[in-house]
Amino acid sequence: MIKFENVSKKYPDGTVAVDSLTFEIQQGEFVVLIGPSGCGKTTTLKMINRLIPLTDGTIFLDGKKISEYDIHELRWNIGYVLQQIALFPHMTIEENIAIVPELKKWGRDKIKQRISELMEMVGLDYETYATRKPSELSGGQQQRVGVIRALAADPGIILMDEPFSALDPISREKLQDELLSLKKSLRKTTVFVTHDMQEALKLADRICIMKDGKIVQIGTPHQLITSPANDFVKEFVGGNSEKSVIDIKLEDLLQPVKGNEVEKTSSAKVSVSTPMQEIMENLSQHEQLAIEKDGDLIGYIDRKTVMKHLSTILEKGG
Ligand code: ADP
């Protein structure tokens, strides 16, 4: 768990980048920090791993002040992914990923096993890519390596600073999809900075909207869309979004059951007659809902489809 208590950052030139932030991020939660350029997102992120010292207040990790951690222990337990692909160019992909596990003195076999497992998880064949240099990979592949390098030594926390913003839209969407599935399987506490609302809506358990170093609103994507705290949030989330939500129809979102597919046990179930507002609320808790009619499964709705549909509506100015 990460806890901010009245945390402020004033740079030596007098700029107050972060102004008395108080909030908590739960174990396994994926929180996105978003807001206009200069609102203090990166400063907030970098204070967590002490890349930037805070001026006032306290940050706790699992109940202990970050200032009380040994700096190496702190950094090794926090994966960090940057916008610029920060792989070491003279090292192979495997060597790049192995850095922190080696610092933590893991055995060779364990490191190799972990690296091949992670590479496979993001679609990089170990035999093909492990011995390549970063320059022999595409931008998207390099950023995948950046992500799994941050995960390599199984850190408790992952910090991501606009990790996909330098990528082309197609690679970006692919990496977001992969991150979503990593998120489901690994359940890491993650703080993710972006200026892209669609990315935030797609990935976040909760979104923290910042302005002038302060939190304007923090809530689930659903809460921000349906109950924006003010016009700033409303505009940021996509203008007139209340109407968009009301305009969503079940049939636009329903994915039919294919062939003789059996009901997925992990799905929560709702009836086809459930009000849309309630379905959305349910989707804020579950990735996927099974839709039933008279007790029979007629299809599924998943969060990704809803977000995609929503973004289409917003794009059209709905
Ligand atoms: P964001 O990530 O939201 O774009 P930052 O956290 O990078 O915002 O910056 C917040 C504010 O602090 C901005 O006004 C920025 O100009 C200022 N700032 C950032 N780094 C420094 C620094 N090293 N010295 C002085 N001001 C800084």
Coordinates of all heavy atoms in Angstrom, one line a residue, residues 133-211:
K133 N 20.6 -7.2 -29.3 CA 20.8 -5.9 -28.7 C 19.5 -5.1 -28.9 O 18.8 -5.3 -29.9 CB 22.0 -5.2 -29.4 CG 23.3 -5.9 -29.2 CD 23.9 -5.6 -27.8 CE 25.1 -6.4 -27.4 NZ 26.2 -6.3 -28.3
P134 N 19.3 -4.1 -28.0 CA 18.1 -3.3 -28.2 C 17.9 -2.7 -29.6 O 16.7 -2.7 -30.0 CB 18.3 -2.2 -27.1 CG 19.1 -2.8 -26.1 CD 20.0 -3.8 -26.8
S135 N 18.9 -2.3 -30.2 CA 18.8 -1.7 -31.5 C 18.2 -2.7 -32.6 O 17.8 -2.2 -33.7 CB 20.1 -1.1 -32.0 OG 21.0 -2.2 -32.2
E136 N 18.3 -3.9 -32.3 CA 17.8 -4.9 -33.2 C 16.3 -5.2 -33.0 O 15.7 -6.2 -33.5 CB 18.6 -6.2 -33.1 CG 20.0 -6.0 -33.5 CD 20.9 -7.2 -33.1 OE1 20.9 -7.6 -32.0 OE2 21.7 -7.7 -34.0
L137 N 15.6 -4.4 -32.2 CA 14.2 -4.6 -31.9 C 13.5 -3.3 -32.3 O 14.1 -2.2 -32.3 CB 14.0 -4.8 -30.4 CG 13.9 -6.2 -29.8 CD1 15.3 -6.9 -30.0 CD2 13.6 -6.2 -28.3
S138 N 12.2 -3.5 -32.6 CA 11.4 -2.3 -33.0 C 11.1 -1.5 -31.7 O 11.3 -2.0 -30.6 CB 10.0 -2.7 -33.5 OG 9.2 -3.3 -32.5
G139 N 10.6 -0.3 -31.9 CA 10.3 0.6 -30.7 C 9.3 -0.1 -29.7 O 9.5 0.0 -28.5
G140 N 8.3 -0.7 -30.3 CA 7.3 -1.3 -29.5 C 7.9 -2.5 -28.7 O 7.6 -2.7 -27.5
Q141 N 8.7 -3.3 -29.4 CA 9.4 -4.4 -28.7 C 10.3 -3.9 -27.6 O 10.4 -4.5 -26.5 CB 10.2 -5.3 -29.8 CG 9.3 -6.0 -30.7 CD 10.0 -6.7 -31.8 OE1 11.1 -6.2 -32.3 NE2 9.5 -7.8 -32.3
Q142 N 11.0 -2.9 -27.9 CA 11.9 -2.3 -26.9 C 11.1 -1.9 -25.6 O 11.6 -2.1 -24.5 CB 12.7 -1.1 -27.4 CG 13.8 -1.5 -28.4 CD 14.6 -0.3 -28.9 OE1 15.0 0.5 -28.1 NE2 14.9 -0.3 -30.2
Q143 N 10.0 -1.3 -25.9 CA 9.2 -0.8 -24.7 C 8.6 -2.0 -24.0 O 8.5 -1.9 -22.8 CB 8.1 0.2 -25.2 CG 7.6 1.1 -24.1 CD 8.7 1.9 -23.4 OE1 9.8 1.5 -23.1 NE2 8.4 3.2 -23.0
R144 N 8.3 -3.1 -24.7 CA 7.9 -4.3 -24.0 C 9.0 -4.8 -23.0 O 8.7 -5.2 -21.9 CB 7.6 -5.4 -25.0 CG 6.3 -5.4 -25.7 CD 6.1 -6.6 -26.6 NE 4.9 -6.4 -27.2 CZ 4.6 -5.7 -28.3 NH1 5.6 -5.1 -28.9 NH2 3.4 -5.6 -28.8
V145 N 10.2 -4.7 -23.5 CA 11.3 -5.1 -22.7 C 11.4 -4.2 -21.5 O 11.7 -4.6 -20.4 CB 12.7 -5.2 -23.5 CG1 13.8 -5.5 -22.6 CG2 12.6 -6.2 -24.7
G146 N 11.2 -2.9 -21.7 CA 11.2 -1.9 -20.6 C 10.2 -2.3 -19.6 O 10.5 -2.2 -18.4
V147 N 9.0 -2.7 -20.0 CA 8.0 -3.1 -19.0 C 8.4 -4.4 -18.3 O 8.3 -4.4 -17.0 CB 6.6 -3.3 -19.8 CG1 5.6 -3.8 -18.8 CG2 6.1 -2.0 -20.3
I148 N 8.8 -5.4 -19.0 CA 9.1 -6.6 -18.3 C 10.4 -6.5 -17.4 O 10.5 -7.2 -16.4 CB 9.1 -7.9 -19.2 CG1 10.1 -7.8 -20.3 CG2 7.7 -8.2 -19.7 CD1 10.2 -9.0 -21.2
R149 N 11.3 -5.6 -17.9 CA 12.5 -5.4 -17.0 C 12.1 -4.8 -15.7 O 12.6 -5.2 -14.6 CB 13.5 -4.4 -17.7 CG 14.7 -4.2 -16.9 CD 15.7 -3.3 -17.6 NE 15.2 -2.0 -17.8 CZ 16.0 -1.0 -18.3 NH1 17.2 -1.2 -18.6 NH2 15.5 0.2 -18.4
A150 N 11.1 -4.0 -15.7 CA 10.6 -3.4 -14.4 C 9.9 -4.5 -13.5 O 9.9 -4.4 -12.3 CB 9.6 -2.3 -14.7
L151 N 9.4 -5.5 -14.2 CA 8.7 -6.6 -13.4 C 9.6 -7.7 -13.0 O 9.3 -8.5 -12.2 CB 7.6 -7.2 -14.3 CG 6.4 -6.3 -14.6 CD1 5.6 -6.9 -15.8 CD2 5.5 -6.2 -13.4
A152 N 10.8 -7.7 -13.6 CA 11.7 -8.9 -13.5 C 11.9 -9.4 -12.1 O 11.7 -10.6 -11.8 CB 13.0 -8.6 -14.2
A153 N 12.3 -8.5 -11.2 CA 12.6 -9.0 -9.8 C 11.4 -9.1 -8.9 O 11.6 -9.0 -7.7 CB 13.8 -8.2 -9.2
D154 N 10.2 -9.1 -9.5 CA 9.0 -9.2 -8.8 C 8.8 -8.1 -7.7 O 8.6 -8.4 -6.6 CB 9.0 -10.6 -8.1 CG 7.5 -11.1 -7.9 OD1 6.6 -10.5 -8.5 OD2 7.3 -12.0 -7.2
P155 N 8.9 -6.9 -8.2 CA 8.8 -5.8 -7.2 C 7.4 -5.7 -6.7 O 6.4 -6.1 -7.3 CB 9.1 -4.5 -8.0 CG 8.7 -4.9 -9.4 CD 9.0 -6.4 -9.6
G156 N 7.2 -5.0 -5.5 CA 5.9 -4.9 -5.0 C 5.1 -3.8 -5.7 O 3.9 -3.8 -5.7
I157 N 5.8 -2.8 -6.3 CA 5.2 -1.6 -6.9 C 5.8 -1.4 -8.3 O 7.0 -1.6 -8.5 CB 5.5 -0.4 -6.0 CG1 4.7 -0.6 -4.6 CG2 5.1 0.9 -6.6 CD1 5.1 0.4 -3.6
I158 N 5.0 -0.9 -9.2 CA 5.5 -0.5 -10.5 C 5.1 0.9 -10.7 O 3.9 1.3 -10.5 CB 4.8 -1.3 -11.6 CG1 4.8 -2.8 -11.4 CG2 5.4 -1.0 -13.0 CD1 6.2 -3.4 -11.6
L159 N 6.1 1.8 -11.1 CA 5.8 3.1 -11.5 C 6.0 3.3 -13.0 O 7.0 2.8 -13.5 CB 6.8 4.1 -10.8 CG 6.9 4.0 -9.3 CD1 7.9 5.0 -8.7 CD2 5.5 4.2 -8.6
M160 N 5.0 3.9 -13.7 CA 5.2 4.0 -15.1 C 4.9 5.4 -15.5 O 3.8 6.0 -15.2 CB 4.2 3.1 -15.8 CG 4.3 1.6 -15.4 SD 3.2 0.5 -16.2 CE 4.2 -0.1 -17.5
D161 N 5.9 6.1 -16.2 CA 5.8 7.5 -16.5 C 5.6 7.6 -18.0 O 6.5 7.5 -18.8 CB 7.0 8.2 -16.1 CG 6.8 9.7 -16.1 OD1 5.7 10.2 -16.6 OD2 7.7 10.5 -15.6
E162 N 4.3 7.8 -18.4 CA 4.0 7.9 -19.9 C 4.7 6.8 -20.7 O 5.4 7.1 -21.7 CB 4.3 9.3 -20.4 CG 3.7 10.4 -19.6 CD 3.1 11.5 -20.4 OE1 3.0 11.3 -21.6 OE2 2.9 12.5 -19.9
P163 N 4.6 5.5 -20.3 CA 5.4 4.5 -20.9 C 5.2 4.3 -22.4 O 6.0 3.8 -23.1 CB 5.1 3.2 -20.1 CG 3.7 3.5 -19.6 CD 3.7 4.9 -19.3
F164 N 3.9 4.6 -22.9 CA 3.6 4.3 -24.3 C 3.5 5.5 -25.2 O 3.1 5.4 -26.3 CB 2.3 3.5 -24.3 CG 2.3 2.3 -23.4 CD1 1.2 1.9 -22.8 CD2 3.5 1.5 -23.3 CE1 1.2 0.8 -21.9 CE2 3.5 0.4 -22.5 CZ 2.3 0.0 -21.8
S165 N 3.8 6.7 -24.6 CA 3.4 7.9 -25.4 C 4.3 8.2 -26.6 O 4.0 8.9 -27.5 CB 3.4 9.1 -24.5 OG 4.6 9.3 -23.9
A166 N 5.5 7.5 -26.6 CA 6.4 7.7 -27.7 C 6.1 6.7 -28.9 O 6.7 6.8 -29.9 CB 7.8 7.6 -27.3
L167 N 5.1 5.8 -28.7 CA 4.8 4.8 -29.7 C 3.8 5.2 -30.6 O 2.9 6.0 -30.3 CB 4.4 3.5 -28.9 CG 5.4 2.9 -27.9 CD1 4.7 1.7 -27.2 CD2 6.7 2.5 -28.6
D168 N 3.8 4.6 -31.8 CA 2.7 4.8 -32.8 C 1.4 4.3 -32.2 O 1.4 3.4 -31.4 CB 3.1 4.2 -34.1 CG 3.1 2.7 -34.0 OD1 2.1 2.0 -34.2 OD2 4.2 2.1 -33.7
P169 N 0.2 4.8 -32.7 CA -1.0 4.4 -32.1 C -1.3 2.9 -32.1 O -1.9 2.4 -31.1 CB -2.1 5.1 -33.0 CG -1.3 6.2 -33.7 CD 0.1 5.7 -33.8
I170 N -0.9 2.1 -33.1 CA -1.1 0.7 -33.1 C -0.3 0.0 -32.1 O -0.8 -0.8 -31.3 CB -0.9 0.1 -34.6 CG1 -2.0 0.7 -35.5 CG2 -1.1 -1.4 -34.6 CD1 -1.8 0.5 -36.9
S171 N 1.0 0.2 -32.0 CA 1.8 -0.4 -31.0 C 1.3 0.0 -29.6 O 1.4 -0.8 -28.7 CB 3.3 0.1 -31.1 OG 3.8 0.0 -32.4
R172 N 0.9 1.2 -29.5 CA 0.5 1.7 -28.2 C -0.7 0.9 -27.7 O -0.8 0.5 -26.6 CB 0.1 3.2 -28.5 CG -0.3 3.9 -27.2 CD -0.5 5.3 -27.5 NE -0.6 6.0 -26.3 CZ -0.5 7.3 -26.1 NH1 -0.3 8.1 -27.1 NH2 -0.6 7.8 -24.9
E173 N -1.7 0.7 -28.6 CA -2.9 0.0 -28.2 C -2.5 -1.5 -27.9 O -3.0 -2.0 -26.9 CB -3.9 0.0 -29.3 CG -5.2 -0.6 -28.9 CD -6.4 -0.2 -29.8 OE1 -6.2 0.6 -30.7 OE2 -7.4 -0.8 -29.5
K174 N -1.6 -2.1 -28.6 CA -1.2 -3.4 -28.4 C -0.5 -3.6 -27.0 O -0.8 -4.5 -26.2 CB -0.2 -3.9 -29.5 CG -0.9 -4.8 -30.4 CD 0.1 -5.5 -31.4 CE 0.0 -7.0 -31.0 NZ 1.2 -7.7 -31.5
L175 N 0.3 -2.6 -26.7 CA 1.0 -2.6 -25.4 C 0.0 -2.4 -24.3 O 0.2 -3.0 -23.2 CB 2.2 -1.6 -25.4 CG 3.5 -2.4 -25.6 CD1 3.9 -2.3 -27.1 CD2 4.6 -1.9 -24.8
Q176 N -0.9 -1.5 -24.5 CA -2.0 -1.3 -23.5 C -2.7 -2.6 -23.2 O -3.0 -3.0 -22.1 CB -3.0 -0.3 -23.9 CG -2.4 1.1 -23.9 CD -3.3 2.1 -24.7 OE1 -4.3 1.7 -25.3 NE2 -3.0 3.4 -24.6
D177 N -3.1 -3.4 -24.3 CA -3.8 -4.6 -24.2 C -2.9 -5.6 -23.4 O -3.4 -6.4 -22.5 CB -4.1 -5.2 -25.5 CG -5.2 -4.4 -26.2 OD1 -5.9 -3.6 -25.5 OD2 -5.3 -4.5 -27.5
E178 N -1.6 -5.7 -23.7 CA -0.7 -6.6 -23.0 C -0.6 -6.2 -21.5 O -0.6 -7.1 -20.6 CB 0.6 -6.6 -23.6 CG 0.7 -7.4 -24.9 CD 1.9 -7.1 -25.7 OE1 2.9 -6.6 -25.2 OE2 1.9 -7.6 -26.9
L179 N -0.5 -4.9 -21.3 CA -0.4 -4.5 -19.9 C -1.7 -4.8 -19.1 O -1.6 -5.2 -18.0 CB -0.2 -2.9 -19.8 CG 0.1 -2.4 -18.4 CD1 1.3 -3.0 -17.8 CD2 0.2 -0.8 -18.5
L180 N -2.9 -4.7 -19.8 CA -4.1 -5.1 -19.2 C -4.1 -6.6 -18.8 O -4.5 -7.0 -17.7 CB -5.3 -4.9 -20.1 CG -6.1 -3.7 -20.0 CD1 -7.2 -3.7 -21.0 CD2 -6.6 -3.4 -18.6
S181 N -3.5 -7.5 -19.6 CA -3.5 -8.9 -19.3 C -2.4 -9.1 -18.2 O -2.6 -10.0 -17.3 CB -3.4 -9.8 -20.5 OG -2.2 -9.8 -21.0
L182 N -1.3 -8.4 -18.3 CA -0.3 -8.6 -17.2 C -0.9 -8.1 -15.8 O -0.7 -8.7 -14.8 CB 0.9 -7.7 -17.4 CG 1.9 -8.1 -18.5 CD1 3.0 -7.0 -18.7 CD2 2.6 -9.4 -18.1
K183 N -1.7 -7.0 -15.9 CA -2.3 -6.5 -14.7 C -3.2 -7.5 -14.1 O -3.2 -7.7 -12.9 CB -3.2 -5.3 -15.2 CG -4.0 -4.6 -14.1 CD -4.9 -3.6 -14.7 CE -6.1 -3.4 -13.8 NZ -7.1 -2.4 -14.3
K184 N -4.0 -8.3 -14.9 CA -4.9 -9.3 -14.4 C -4.1 -10.4 -13.8 O -4.5 -10.9 -12.8 CB -5.8 -9.8 -15.5 CG -7.1 -9.1 -15.7 CD -8.0 -9.7 -16.7 CE -8.3 -8.8 -17.8 NZ -8.9 -9.4 -18.9
S185 N -3.0 -10.8 -14.5 CA -2.4 -12.0 -13.9 C -1.4 -11.7 -12.8 O -1.2 -12.5 -11.9 CB -1.6 -12.8 -15.0 OG -0.7 -11.9 -15.7
L186 N -0.8 -10.5 -12.7 CA 0.2 -10.2 -11.7 C -0.4 -9.4 -10.5 O 0.2 -9.4 -9.4 CB 1.3 -9.4 -12.3 CG 2.1 -10.1 -13.5 CD1 3.1 -9.3 -14.0 CD2 2.7 -11.5 -13.0
R187 N -1.4 -8.6 -10.7 CA -2.0 -7.8 -9.7 C -1.0 -7.0 -8.9 O -1.0 -7.0 -7.7 CB -2.8 -8.7 -8.7 CG -4.0 -9.3 -9.3 CD -5.3 -8.6 -8.8 NE -6.3 -8.6 -9.8 CZ -6.9 -7.6 -10.3 NH1 -6.5 -6.4 -10.0 NH2 -7.8 -7.7 -11.2
K188 N -0.2 -6.2 -9.6 CA 0.8 -5.4 -9.0 C 0.2 -4.0 -8.6 O -0.6 -3.5 -9.4 CB 2.0 -5.1 -9.9 CG 2.8 -6.3 -10.3 CD 3.8 -6.5 -9.2 CE 4.6 -7.8 -9.5 NZ 5.2 -8.4 -8.3
T189 N 0.7 -3.5 -7.5 CA 0.3 -2.1 -7.2 C 1.0 -1.2 -8.2 O 2.3 -1.2 -8.3 CB 0.8 -1.7 -5.8 OG1 0.4 -2.7 -4.9 CG2 0.3 -0.3 -5.4
T190 N 0.3 -0.4 -9.0 CA 0.8 0.3 -10.1 C 0.4 1.8 -10.1 O -0.8 2.1 -9.9 CB 0.4 -0.3 -11.5 OG1 0.7 -1.7 -11.4 CG2 1.1 0.3 -12.6
V191 N 1.4 2.7 -10.3 CA 1.0 4.1 -10.5 C 1.5 4.4 -11.9 O 2.7 4.2 -12.2 CB 1.7 5.0 -9.4 CG1 1.2 6.4 -9.5 CG2 1.6 4.4 -8.0
F192 N 0.6 4.9 -12.7 CA 0.8 5.1 -14.1 C 0.5 6.5 -14.5 O -0.6 7.0 -14.2 CB -0.1 4.1 -14.8 CG 0.0 4.0 -16.3 CD1 0.6 2.9 -16.9 CD2 -0.5 5.0 -17.2 CE1 0.7 2.8 -18.3 CE2 -0.4 4.9 -18.5 CZ 0.2 3.8 -19.1
V193 N 1.4 7.2 -15.0 CA 1.2 8.6 -15.5 C 0.9 8.7 -16.9 O 1.6 8.1 -17.7 CB 2.5 9.5 -15.2 CG1 2.4 10.9 -15.8 CG2 2.6 9.7 -13.7
T194 N -0.1 9.4 -17.3 CA -0.4 9.6 -18.7 C -1.1 11.0 -18.9 O -1.6 11.6 -17.9 CB -1.3 8.5 -19.3 OG1 -1.5 8.7 -20.7 CG2 -2.7 8.5 -18.7
H195 N -1.2 11.5 -20.1 CA -2.0 12.6 -20.4 C -3.2 12.2 -21.3 O -3.9 13.1 -21.8 CB -1.2 13.8 -20.9 CG -0.5 13.5 -22.2 ND1 0.8 13.1 -22.3 CD2 -1.0 13.3 -23.5 CE1 1.1 12.8 -23.5 NE2 0.1 12.9 -24.3
D196 N -3.3 10.9 -21.5 CA -4.2 10.4 -22.5 C -5.4 9.8 -21.7 O -5.3 8.7 -21.1 CB -3.5 9.3 -23.3 CG -4.4 8.6 -24.3 OD1 -5.6 8.8 -24.2 OD2 -3.9 7.9 -25.2
M197 N -6.6 10.4 -21.8 CA -7.7 10.0 -21.0 C -8.2 8.6 -21.4 O -8.6 7.8 -20.6 CB -8.9 11.0 -21.1 CG -9.9 10.8 -20.1 SD -9.2 11.0 -18.4 CE -10.5 10.4 -17.4
Q198 N -8.1 8.3 -22.8 CA -8.6 7.0 -23.2 C -7.7 5.9 -22.6 O -8.2 4.8 -22.2 CB -8.5 6.9 -24.7 CG -9.7 7.7 -25.4 CD -9.7 7.4 -26.9 OE1 -9.3 6.4 -27.3 NE2 -10.2 8.4 -27.6
E199 N -6.4 6.2 -22.5 CA -5.5 5.2 -21.9 C -5.9 5.0 -20.4 O -5.9 3.9 -19.9 CB -4.1 5.7 -22.1 CG -3.0 4.8 -21.6 CD -1.6 5.2 -22.1 OE1 -1.0 6.1 -21.5 OE2 -1.2 4.6 -23.1
A200 N -6.2 6.1 -19.8 CA -6.5 6.1 -18.4 C -7.8 5.3 -18.1 O -7.9 4.4 -17.3 CB -6.7 7.5 -17.8
L201 N -8.8 5.5 -19.0 CA -10.1 4.9 -18.8 C -9.9 3.4 -19.0 O -10.6 2.5 -18.4 CB -11.1 5.4 -19.8 CG -11.6 6.8 -19.5 CD1 -12.4 7.4 -20.7 CD2 -12.5 6.9 -18.2
K202 N -9.1 3.0 -20.0 CA -8.9 1.6 -20.3 C -8.1 0.9 -19.2 O -8.4 -0.3 -19.0 CB -8.0 1.6 -21.6 CG -7.7 0.2 -22.2 CD -7.2 0.4 -23.6 CE -6.6 -0.9 -24.1 NZ -6.2 -0.8 -25.5
L203 N -7.1 1.5 -18.6 CA -6.2 0.7 -17.7 C -6.6 0.8 -16.3 O -6.3 -0.1 -15.5 CB -4.8 1.2 -17.9 CG -4.1 1.0 -19.3 CD1 -2.8 1.7 -19.4 CD2 -4.0 -0.5 -19.6
A204 N -7.1 2.0 -15.8 CA -7.1 2.3 -14.4 C -8.2 1.5 -13.6 O -9.3 1.3 -14.1 CB -7.4 3.8 -14.2
D205 N -7.9 1.2 -12.4 CA -8.9 0.8 -11.4 C -9.4 2.2 -10.9 O -10.6 2.3 -10.7 CB -8.3 0.1 -10.2 CG -7.8 -1.3 -10.7 OD1 -8.4 -1.9 -11.5 OD2 -6.7 -1.8 -10.1
R206 N -8.5 3.1 -10.6 CA -9.0 4.4 -10.2 C -8.1 5.5 -10.9 O -6.9 5.2 -11.2 CB -8.8 4.7 -8.7 CG -10.0 4.1 -7.9 CD -10.0 4.5 -6.5 NE -8.7 4.2 -5.8 CZ -8.3 4.9 -4.8 NH1 -8.9 6.0 -4.3 NH2 -7.1 4.6 -4.2
I207 N -8.7 6.6 -11.2 CA -8.0 7.7 -11.9 C -7.9 8.8 -11.0 O -8.9 9.2 -10.3 CB -8.8 8.1 -13.2 CG1 -8.9 6.9 -14.2 CG2 -8.1 9.3 -13.9 CD1 -9.8 7.2 -15.4
C208 N -6.7 9.4 -10.9 CA -6.5 10.6 -10.0 C -6.3 11.8 -11.0 O -5.3 11.9 -11.6 CB -5.3 10.3 -9.1 SG -4.9 11.7 -8.1
I209 N -7.3 12.7 -11.0 CA -7.1 13.9 -11.9 C -6.5 15.0 -11.1 O -7.0 15.4 -10.0 CB -8.5 14.3 -12.5 CG1 -9.1 13.2 -13.3 CG2 -8.3 15.6 -13.3 CD1 -10.3 13.6 -14.1
M210 N -5.4 15.5 -11.6 CA -4.6 16.6 -10.9 C -4.6 17.9 -11.7 O -4.8 17.9 -12.9 CB -3.1 16.1 -10.7 CG -3.0 14.9 -9.9 SD -1.2 14.4 -9.7 CE -0.6 15.8 -8.8
K211 N -4.5 19.0 -10.9 CA -4.4 20.3 -11.5 C -3.6 21.2 -10.5 O -3.9 21.1 -9.3 CB -5.8 20.8 -11.7 CG -5.9 22.2 -12.4 CD -7.3 22.6 -12.7 CE -7.4 23.9 -13.5 NZ -8.0 24.9 -12.7

